[in-house]
Amino acid sequence: MKKLMFYLLLAGAAFAQAAEPVRTKLPLLDLEHVLAVLVYSVIGIVVMVLSFAIIDWVHPRDIWGEIADKQNRAMAIVFGCMMLGIAIIIAAAIVG
């Protein structure tokens, strides 16, 4: 019985050691990654503004007039959700 317990403990220790992930030290601030984040952020913002301009151009009503002047909450919610959906698509395209 003692031999069996010894082998079980030995196997458990070996399994725990093998399951431990290998840790590598990553640099805290890599210029290449920071530059990539800035470029992708600018591209995402530009695409977002262009998509809103296209939606504003295609839509038959004045979006800003409806939301700001007439206080149309329903239109604000619809266009907010639409922009959120476009932002999710842009983020998924950037992440890959």
Side-chain angles (χ1 to χ4, degrees):
M1 186 70 172
K2 286 184 180 181
K3 269 188 174 180
L4 179 63
M5 289 299 288
F6 174 73
Y7 288 128
L8 284 175
L9 286 174
L10 189 63
F15 179 74
Q17 197 174 32
E20 199 172 302
V22 178
R23 299 179 192 269
T24 58
K25 189 171 184 179
L26 297 175
L28 292 177
L29 190 61
D30 191 8
L31 187 61
E32 182 179 335
H33 293 124
V34 172
L35 186 62
V37 166
L38 291 175
V39 168
Y40 284 127
S41 298
V42 169
I43 290 172
I45 291 169
V46 167
V47 170
M48 188 80 162
V49 169
L50 285 175
S51 65
F52 186 78
I54 291 170
I55 292 170
D56 190 24
W57 179 63
V58 171
H59 198 269
R61 292 188 181 186
D62 180 31
I63 296 173
W64 288 112
E66 284 286 326
I67 293 174
D69 297 335
K70 296 181 182 177
Q71 299 291 317
N72 191 344
R73 289 184 185 170
M75 185 173 273
I77 291 170
V78 167
F79 278 95
C81 291
M82 196 181 314
M83 296 309 293
L84 186 62
I86 292 170
I88 291 171
I89 293 169
I90 292 169
I94 289 174
V95 170

